[in-house]
């Protein structure tokens, strides 16, 4: 996970998040994703992203376990790029709405990467984290071509 694409770099040190909910959501989303895939978290490659503009939170490794997680035909994820952006959107109250602003961040990433690596265009994940009292729920949306 050391490929730099366009204006995206890797965030090597944690910086203060603009909201408490964002910090909580970003902290739980990767462990929850690996648990959902049934894999050990130390076998999953991911990296925080940074950019001079609003960008997805993570770049995550594409894995064969995506097939089972999203009920796809075995081998489907082998056609995906080797990694994809993951944007986390958190809510402090229960919310079943679709996080439209997250798509804008993915679109910006796709636009930036299209000329450098067209295979990445259209692939990504959005994690919707609902933090309602002591019950945290996460929904993952997978984008593919």
């Amino acid at each position: 996970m050391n490929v730099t694409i366009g204006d995206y770099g890797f965030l090597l040190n944690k910086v203060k998040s603009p909201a408490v909910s964002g910090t909580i959501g970003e902290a739980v989303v990767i462990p929850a994703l690996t648990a959902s895939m049934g894999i050990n978290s130390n076998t999953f490659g991911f990296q925080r992203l940074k950019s001079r503009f609003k960008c997805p939170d993570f770049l995550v490794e594409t894995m064969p376990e995506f097939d089972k997680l999203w009920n796809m035909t075995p081998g489907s994820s082998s056609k995906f790029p080797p990694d994809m952006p993951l944007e986390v959107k958190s809510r402090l109250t229960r919310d079943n709405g679709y996080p439209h602003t997250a798509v804008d961040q993915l679109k910006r990433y796709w636009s930036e990467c299209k000329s450098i690596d067209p295979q990445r265009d259209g692939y990504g994940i959005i994690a919707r984290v609902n933090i309602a009292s002591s019950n945290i729920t996460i929904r993952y949306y997978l984008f593919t071509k």
Side-chain angles (χ1 to χ4, degrees):
M1 301 291 299
N2 61 1
V3 177
T4 301
I5 305 292
D7 281 337
Y8 295 90
F10 294 120
L11 183 64
L12 301 177
N13 299 309
K14 179 67 177 152
V15 294
K16 184 179 176 187
S17 191
V20 172
S21 64
T23 302
I24 294 169
E26 292 166 13
V28 300
V29 76
I30 297 295
L33 183 59
T34 58
S36 297
M37 290 191 295
I39 63 171
N40 191 323
S41 60
N42 67 356
T43 63
F44 185 62
F46 70 95
Q47 187 70 43
R48 293 275 309 179
L49 287 177
K50 70 175 183 173
S51 179
R52 57 192 162 116
F53 50 83
K54 207 154 174 61
C55 71
D57 295 304
F58 297 98
L59 190 63
V60 298
E61 178 184 12
T62 301
M63 301 194 73
E65 289 81 3
F66 283 8
D67 295 339
K68 190 161 61 166
L69 181 63
W70 278 288
N71 297 318
M72 297 184 295
T73 306
S76 295
S77 61
S78 66
K79 298 174 183 79
F80 295 178
D83 48 54
M84 59 180 69
L86 186 152
E87 172 58 21
V88 181
K89 290 296 180 193
S90 302
R91 297 272 309 200
L92 290 172
T93 58
R94 179 156 306 288
D95 174 49
N96 291 323
Y98 180 76
H100 293 284
T101 56
V103 176
D104 294 337
Q105 287 173 252
L106 292 182
K107 285 180 180 177
R108 176 79 186 235
Y109 177 87
W110 296 332
S111 174
E112 178 87 14
C113 297
K114 194 179 291 189
S115 63
I116 299 163
D117 188 356
Q119 182 189 13
R120 296 174 187 276
D121 186 34
Y123 291 93
I125 301 169
I126 293 175
R128 169 53 116 195
V129 181
N130 289 313
I131 306 165
S133 63
S134 62
N135 185 24
I136 296 177
T137 59
I138 304 173
R139 282 175 292 151
Y140 295 96
Y141 299 91
L142 176 67
F143 289 83
T144 64
K145 284 187 173 183

